């Protein structure tokens, strides 16, 4: 999220909320395409069973594999800039489909970009509020996400 530039926002626009997302049955099947020969079937299976923490960990592993940075255990700006669009699209579509549009790069980027520019902490909390990850009582555990 730190790499996504915040835009000026017309705050009169309605806020996109979790309730605005779609039912996964209306999202077509995802082709598990990869420019790097990565197998996405395990991630697909984990997401099908809505095991969000496990899917988050598997996604991180896959992204390191795609970037050929498994030994370094983290991505850098150069590796992020060179991630193949096909693989990013596959990961995004899987997350969008199995989270009913709540998760995935595209859904989260849209919400992030439409938040009013504030301090990073306040913007991040508002981001969490819109996704249902955060409320007045704090951050929601993976196991308690209502999806």
């Amino acid at each position: 999220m730190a790499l996504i530039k915040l835009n000026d926002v017309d705050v009169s626009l309605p806020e996109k909320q979790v309730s605005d997302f779609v039912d996964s049955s209306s999202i077509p099947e995802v082709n598990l395409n990869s420019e790097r020969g990565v197998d996405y079937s395990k991630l697909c299976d984990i997401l099908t069973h809505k095991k969000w923490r496990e899917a988050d960990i598997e996604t991180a592993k896959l992204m390191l594999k795609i970037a050929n940075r498994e030994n370094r255990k983290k991505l850098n700006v150069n590796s992020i800039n060179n991630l193949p669009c096909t693989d990013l699209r596959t990961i995004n579509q899987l997350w969008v489909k199995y989270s009913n549009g709540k998760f995935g790069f595209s859904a989260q980027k849209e919400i992030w970009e439409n938040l009013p520019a504030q301090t990073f902490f306040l913007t991040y909390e508002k981001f969490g509020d819109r996704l249902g990850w955060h409320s007045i009582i704090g951050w929601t555990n993976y196991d308690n996400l209502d999806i």
Side-chain angles (χ1 to χ4, degrees):
M1 291 308 301
L3 297 175
I4 299 173
K5 182 180 176 187
L6 292 176
N7 295 329
D8 291 331
V9 181
D10 177 356
V11 292
S12 66
L13 293 173
E15 294 180 350
K16 186 170 184 176
Q17 300 290 339
V18 170
S19 59
D20 297 328
F21 296 104
V22 297
D23 178 23
S24 65
S25 64
S26 68
I27 300 172
E29 285 303 311
V30 178
N31 292 321
L32 303 181
N33 298 329
S34 173
E35 287 181 36
R36 304 279 165 90
V38 173
D39 180 4
Y40 291 105
S41 57
K42 181 177 179 183
L43 177 61
C44 185
D45 184 56
I46 295 167
L47 287 168
T48 300
H49 292 94
K50 303 197 180 306
K51 296 179 180 178
W52 307 121
R53 179 187 307 271
E54 195 175 331
D56 201 20
I57 292 167
E58 179 66 13
T59 299
K61 288 178 186 176
L62 290 169
M63 292 184 72
L64 289 169
K65 184 173 187 169
I66 295 163
N68 197 25
R69 293 193 52 96
E70 293 168 289
N71 293 338
R72 295 199 173 114
K73 307 282 187 216
K74 63 181 180 177
L75 299 174
N76 61 16
V77 173
N78 187 49
S79 61
I80 292 168
N81 288 335
N82 290 302
L83 289 169
C85 292
T86 300
D87 291 85
L88 290 173
R89 187 177 304 109
T90 299
I91 293 169
N92 179 60
Q93 289 174 341
L94 285 169
W95 275 94
V96 169
K97 178 166 181 67
Y98 293 107
S99 70
N100 297 325
K102 292 180 185 177
F103 301 149
F105 306 130
S106 57
Q108 294 172 15
K109 182 177 183 280
E110 181 181 341
I111 290 170
W112 184 267
E113 288 180 340
N114 286 296
L115 292 171
Q118 300 174 355
T119 66
F120 179 81
F121 178 76
L122 290 174
T123 303
Y124 191 67
E125 271 195 347
K126 191 69 166 173
F127 178 73
D129 292 344
R130 300 253 179 102
L131 289 167
W133 301 350
H134 180 267
S135 69
I136 196 155
I137 59 172
W139 290 92
T140 304
N141 184 294
Y142 281 97
D143 299 331
N144 296 327
L145 292 172
D146 184 25
I147 299 176

